[in-house]
Amino acid sequence: MTARSPLPDRILIPVANPATAEELVKLGAALLDPRGGELTALGIVEVPEGMPLSEGATRARHARRLLQRVLDFAPEGTPIHPIVRIGRHAAEGIVEAAAEQETDVIIFGWGGRSSGRDGRDRKGRDGAPTVISPTIDEVVREAPCDVAVVKQRGNLEVKRVLVPVRGGPHAELALRFAATIAERHGAEIRVLHLLPSGVTQAIRAQAERALQVFVKQNVGVPVETLLRETTNVRTTILREAEKVDLVVMGASAVPGGDEGGQLFGALPESIALRAKPTVVVVKTREPIGRATFDQLAQKAESLAAADRAAEEARAVPMRVERWFAESNFHHAEFQDLARLVQLKQQQSLSVSLVLPTLDEEETIGAIVRRAQRDLVERFPLIDELLVIDSNSSDRTRAIAEEEGARVVIHQEVLPRYGSYRGKGEALWKSLYETTGDLVVWADTDVKNWHPRMVYGTLGPLLHEPRLQYVKGYYQRPIVEGGMLKEGGGGRVTELVARPLINLFFPELSGLIQPLSGEYAGRRALLEQIPFFTGYAVEIGHLIDISERVGIEHLGQVDLERRVHRNQELEGLSRMSFVIMQAIMKRLEERRRVRLFAELGSTMKLPRSGKGRLGLEVLEIADQERPPMIRIPEYLERRTAAEAELTPLALEPSVE
C-alpha cells in the first residue's frame, strides 16, 4: 500500500472579488492540515508595460483594504493573512507568490467560460485560445504546486460529496481532498467509477476490486463506492451530481500537454460548467526532476562573474520598484485597533513600546498619557511601555513616571559593559530591558504625537508575517524664524543619506525616510544585528537587516505629518559625518576591501569672529554594540522568561 501524501499546510487563494471569496476560503480551511497550516488571500495589482511598478503603490493599498473583508470568512481558529503583489501580469504575480510562500495548493474561483466583448473566445498572452481564463490557464501551466479550480455555486453547507474517479495521480488528489472536506463537514462521500455498458461480469468484478483498492489506498474514512455502466459518461456524472452538494474531480488531461486544447481535460471542464452544485477540479504538479536541477547548476556555473554582477545590477531597480509598490502602507490601513489586538492574540505575540528620551519634558507627558490611554487601556495593543532616558537634566523622567510609564536610565543598564552617549546606545539597551516579541520605537520630541506613530509601524508586522522590520515616513515641516513652514525637513536624509544609499546600497533606494525615528521590528531579528551607538543606528539597521533578510522583508508606512524640534545646521553637520562614517564602514565590510587608508573620526569645525580665527577639533564617531543575543545576561534573562511560559511536565505517578 502506498502512503497517502500529507494534507496541504500552505494554501494560496487569489482573490479577484472579495465579495465572492467566502466559499473559496471555507473550502481552503477544510483542506488545511489539522496539525497546523495557514491560508493566504492574494490580491494582484497589474501595472502595464512601460509604467514603473512603483506606480502601483496606491492601488496596492486599496487592494489590501478590500482583502480585509476576506479575513472574516475564515472559520475561527484558521490562520489567514492577506498579501498584495505587484506585477505586469496577474499570472506571473500568482506564480511568484506561490513560490515565495512555498504554497502546496492554489485555489481559484471560476465564473465559467468567458469571451471578449465581440463574443469571440479570449486568447492568452501566447495567442492560444483561453480554456478557463487567461490568468488561470497560465498559472495552471506554470504553477510550482497543485492547483484546484472551483466553479462556485455558493454552497457553503456540504452534506454529500461526489468524487468521479478513473485512477491516476489527479484522481488520488481529488479523492484525498474530497475525503478531507467531507470529514470536516461531517458529510457523506460517494466515489463513482463508470464502465461502458455491456461489460462482462468478470470485467465488472475486476473493476470493483480495483476501485476498493484505490479507495483504501487514498482514504482513511468510510466511503460509499458506486460502480455504474453508461453509454454517456458526462450525463451520468451530471445526474449523480444532482444528489450532492459538492463534486470533486481530478484532471483527465495527459501530463505534459493539453487534451484537445484542454488544461484539465474536456470531461472535468464540462462537468464544472454544467453541474448544479459547486465543482472542484484538481490537478497535481509533478516535481522538478534531478536532471533539471543539474542543468540549472551547469548553466549557472557557466556564467562569468562579470555577467552575474551585471545581471544583478539590472535586477536591482526592478526589485526596488516592486518592493516600493508592494510594501508601502498607510497608517489608516491599521487604525482598527480592535482588529490589531485580535491579530496579536491570534499569533500569540507580545508588543513592547520603547520611547527614548533626552530632555523632553515639554512633550513626554502628553505622549505617555496618550499611549497609555489608547494603546494600553482602551485597546490592549501594547503589553509593555518603557521610557529609556539618556540621563535627562530636566523633569523628563519624573513626568513619564507620573503618567504611568516604567522609566530606566540607559547609563545604568548592563553597567558591566560601560555606556556610550547616543540614541543608538539607548535603543540597544532597551532590547535588554523589554521582552516583547515585537518592539516599537518612537521618538519623543514630537509636538503632534498620535498613536499612529505606534500602530502605523506595528500594523504591517501583524498583518504580513513576511515582514520583519517596518519604517515610518511623514511630511516634515521646519521651523524658521519662529514660523512653521511646510517642507524643508529631513535635510540630512536628502543631502547625505539618500545620495549615498543610491550610490552604494541601491536596494534601499525606495525608502522615503531611511533616518526616521519611528520603526518596529521582530525581536528574533533585532537581537541578531549590531547597533551603532549614536546617529548612525537607523542607517545601520537598514543596511544590516536588508543584507540579512532581503528588502522583501522590510516595509514602510506613511504616518502623514510630524512636527518636531529641528536641529541647527552645525548639529546636522555632525549627524551627517557620523552617518557617512557608518556607510563607509559597512561598504568596506561588504566589499571586503580597504577603500580608505584611514577612516577619520575627527571633525574640524571652523570658528571665526572678531579677533578670532581657528579650528575646533571634535572627536565624533559612533561605536558599535554587538548583537544583543551575544550578551550572556540577555540570554539568561530570555531563557528564564521562556521557562516561565513553558508548562512544567508532570511527573509520572508511582503506584
Side-chain angles (χ1 to χ4, degrees), residues 71 82 90 117 120 129 188 192 208 210 279 324 479 514 525 569 640:
L71 304 183
R117 293 182 179 179
R120 298 179 181 177
E188 301 172 1
L192 173 66
E208 285 179 345
V279 178
F324 185 89
V479 177
L525 171 65
L569 192 58

Side-chain angles (χ1 to χ4, degrees), residues 1 27 30 38 42 124 140 142 204 260 286 296 305 333 370 407 436 441 460 462 554 556 591 611 617 620 637 647 652:
M1 180 186 300
L27 279 172
E38 64 179 15
L42 172 66
V140 170
E142 303 295 333
R204 184 181 178 88
E286 295 295 327
L296 291 173
E333 298 178 52
R370 188 78 185 271
V407 180
W441 286 298
L462 292 173
L554 275 68
Q556 63 180 345
R591 302 301 182 190
V617 181
I620 303 176
R637 179 173 284 197

Side-chain angles (χ1 to χ4, degrees), residues 549-593:
V549 300
I551 61 170
E552 294 77 13
H553 297 279
L554 275 68
Q556 63 180 345
V557 60
D558 186 349
L559 301 177
E560 288 192 351
R561 193 168 182 267
R562 180 184 191 266
V563 181
H564 68 128
R565 183 177 63 242
N566 302 116
Q567 290 204 45
E568 297 297 328
L569 192 58
E570 185 174 300
L572 297 179
S573 178
R574 299 182 189 190
M575 182 187 299
S576 301
F577 185 65
V578 171
I579 289 169
M580 291 179 70
Q581 285 178 326
I583 290 176
M584 296 307 171
K585 186 174 189 293
R586 288 292 183 262
L587 190 59
E588 288 191 338
E589 294 168 349
R590 186 183 195 187
R591 302 301 182 190
R592 291 182 172 82
V593 294

Side-chain angles (χ1 to χ4, degrees), residues 164-168 170-171 249-255 257-260 262-270 281-284:
V165 297
R166 291 200 301 182
H170 302 310
M249 296 185 69
S252 58
V254 221
D258 297 346
E259 183 186 271
Q262 310 298 314
L263 287 176
F264 290 91
L267 178 63
E269 291 169 17
S270 176
V281 183
V282 302
K283 188 172 187 178
T284 60

Side-chain angles (χ1 to χ4, degrees), residues 348-538:
S348 300
L349 295 173
S350 57
V351 178
S352 297
L353 169 60
V354 177
L355 302 172
T357 56
L358 175 61
D359 296 332
E360 307 295 355
E361 65 179 5
E362 292 184 8
T363 53
I364 189 61
I367 292 174
V368 172
R369 190 181 314 121
R370 188 78 185 271
Q372 287 277 20
R373 186 188 69 190
D374 293 350
L375 304 176
V376 177
E377 297 167 5
R378 289 182 178 175
F379 297 96
L381 185 61
I382 302 302
D383 302 288
E384 183 178 32
L385 195 162
L386 174 72
V387 169
I388 187 155
D389 185 65
S390 296
N391 208 12
S392 295
S393 59
D394 63 8
R395 296 190 65 251
T396 295
R397 293 192 299 277
I399 293 172
E401 288 175 342
E402 289 168 5
E403 296 294 344
R406 182 167 75 93
V407 180
V408 297
I409 300 173
H410 93 243
Q411 288 86 348
E412 298 175 0
V413 178
L414 294 172
R416 168 186 168 191
Y417 301 95
S419 188
Y420 297 105
R421 295 182 59 186
K423 176 183 175 183
E425 174 81 349
L427 301 190
W428 182 71
K429 289 185 173 180
S430 74
L431 280 183
Y432 176 78
E433 285 291 332
T434 55
T435 59
D437 303 301
L438 306 179
V439 181
V440 185
W441 286 298
D443 281 349
T444 54
D445 62 343
V446 181
K447 298 177 181 178
N448 66 327
W449 198 90
H450 186 275
R452 67 175 179 266
M453 303 296 181
V454 176
Y455 67 69
T457 56
L458 183 60
L461 295 175
L462 292 173
H463 276 267
E464 294 213 25
R466 73 181 171 94
L467 295 176
Q468 300 289 308
Y469 188 84
V470 177
K471 290 282 292 186
Y473 68 90
Y474 27 70
Q475 299 173 30
R476 300 180 66 175
I478 190 170
V479 177
E480 289 184 351
M483 299 291 292
L484 188 66
K485 298 182 179 180
E486 295 299 331
R491 290 164 288 177
V492 175
T493 293
E494 300 305 329
L495 298 176
V496 178
R498 194 177 311 286
L500 289 175
I501 284 173
N502 276 273
L503 280 171
F504 300 121
F505 298 95
E507 63 274 15
L508 296 173
S509 58
L511 283 153
I512 295 174
Q513 283 174 356
L515 307 182
S516 70
E518 281 68 33
Y519 38 95
R522 300 187 189 276
R523 178 174 295 272
L525 171 65
L526 297 171
E527 66 186 10
Q528 299 284 343
I529 61 172
F531 278 53
F532 284 105
T533 57
Y535 292 130
V537 63
E538 282 92 8

Side-chain angles (χ1 to χ4, degrees), residues 45-56 59 86-89 321:
V45 173
E46 290 185 293
V47 178
E49 296 285 354
M51 182 182 292
L53 290 174
S54 57
E55 293 294 323
R59 291 166 58 199
I86 305 292
R88 299 297 184 195
H89 305 282
E321 284 191 13

Side-chain angles (χ1 to χ4, degrees), residues 417 428 527-530 548 625-635:
Y417 301 95
W428 182 71
E527 66 186 10
Q528 299 284 343
I529 61 172
R548 177 176 282 271
R625 288 296 196 178
M628 184 58 76
I629 198 69
R630 297 182 189 170
I631 304 301
E633 292 89 339
Y634 177 77
L635 278 174

